[in-house]
Amino acid sequence: MKTYFKNLFSGIWNLLQGMRITMRNAIRKNVTECYPEDRETARQFERFRGELIFDINENNEHKCIACGLCQMNCPNQSLQVVSKMVETEDGKKKKVLEAYNWDLSSCTFCGLCTSSCAPKAIKWTNFFEHAVFDKSKLVKELKGDSKPVEKKAAPAPAPKKSDDSQVQQ
């Protein structure tokens, strides 16, 4: 009989504690953000990694020297640095950046690319809206003059026409 009343009062005590927590949260101010409506006022944390861009100077030029360190340090090869050798006016050969492709679908946003970049040519922005319906649109090409643009996919080959006009049964 003693354990019956002990378990009864213990159950009532636990119920009251749960109700106290529920009532405290019921009268608390809401902290829900209405995302699409308050898009202009929504701010991310300072260290948030949203989108990779080139750090450009006042002449609208990027600092990338096409060394490929960011590509080598990327754990899942989401960066592709395409470079070419050109000859300068004084006869020396120099490596220049031809294309800088970033596959957003395989990027883990680890930041190894920006931390290993010797000239500090790439940096992260707070842009976070990357939702697309087609996965091929997540391959971006970084340009020195603007935000990353989606890389143009090669057109799909036209279906071959067959001369099988007779259907065999």
Side-chain angles (χ1 to χ4, degrees):
M1 189 73 141
K2 184 177 180 181
T3 59
Y4 171 76
F5 285 111
K6 182 179 177 183
N7 289 339
L8 179 68
F9 289 122
S10 175
I12 292 172
W13 177 253
N14 288 333
L15 177 67
L16 291 175
Q17 281 184 331
M19 292 303 293
R20 181 177 55 97
I21 293 170
T22 302
M23 292 308 293
R24 184 177 60 205
N25 288 326
I27 60 174
R28 191 178 284 179
K29 181 183 173 190
N30 291 341
V31 292
T32 305
E33 294 182 15
C34 301
Y35 163 64
E37 290 83 22
D38 65 353
R39 185 176 292 169
E40 294 82 27
T41 60
R43 298 288 176 246
Q44 295 296 329
F45 296 108
E46 183 181 329
R47 297 185 329 169
F48 178 76
R49 297 180 185 134
E51 188 172 42
L52 197 61
I53 62 166
F54 276 133
D55 190 15
I56 56 174
N57 60 11
E58 63 275 351
N59 297 332
N60 214 10
E61 299 169 340
H62 60 81
K63 299 184 258 182
C64 184
I65 57 174
C67 62
L69 284 175
C70 54
Q71 180 180 352
M72 286 186 278
N73 287 324
C74 184
N76 41 349
Q77 287 77 36
S78 61
L79 294 175
Q80 180 187 17
V81 179
V82 181
S83 62
K84 65 179 177 180
M85 295 297 285
V86 295
E87 194 168 317
T88 60
E89 298 168 350
D90 55 351
K92 296 180 180 179
K93 290 190 176 187
K94 180 181 178 183
K95 188 189 281 190
V96 292
L97 182 68
E98 194 169 292
Y100 194 99
N101 299 324
W102 175 42
D103 186 6
L104 183 60
S105 64
S106 66
C107 184
T108 58
F109 300 94
C110 63
L112 290 174
C113 54
T114 54
S115 63
S116 66
C117 184
K120 302 296 181 205
I122 52 178
K123 66 179 182 178
W124 293 101
T125 64
N126 287 343
F127 182 75
F128 59 92
E129 295 180 356
H130 298 294
V132 293
F133 287 107
D134 187 13
K135 191 176 178 180
S136 66
K137 291 183 180 180
L138 291 175
V139 177
K140 310 268 185 181
E141 183 174 353
L142 272 65
K143 301 282 188 182
D145 57 348
S146 64
K147 292 179 71 171
V149 293
E150 64 184 58
K151 188 177 174 186
K152 300 294 182 194
K160 293 181 182 179
K161 293 183 180 180
S162 61
D163 292 337
D164 296 335
S165 59
Q166 298 177 353
V167 179
Q168 296 179 357
Q169 294 181 2

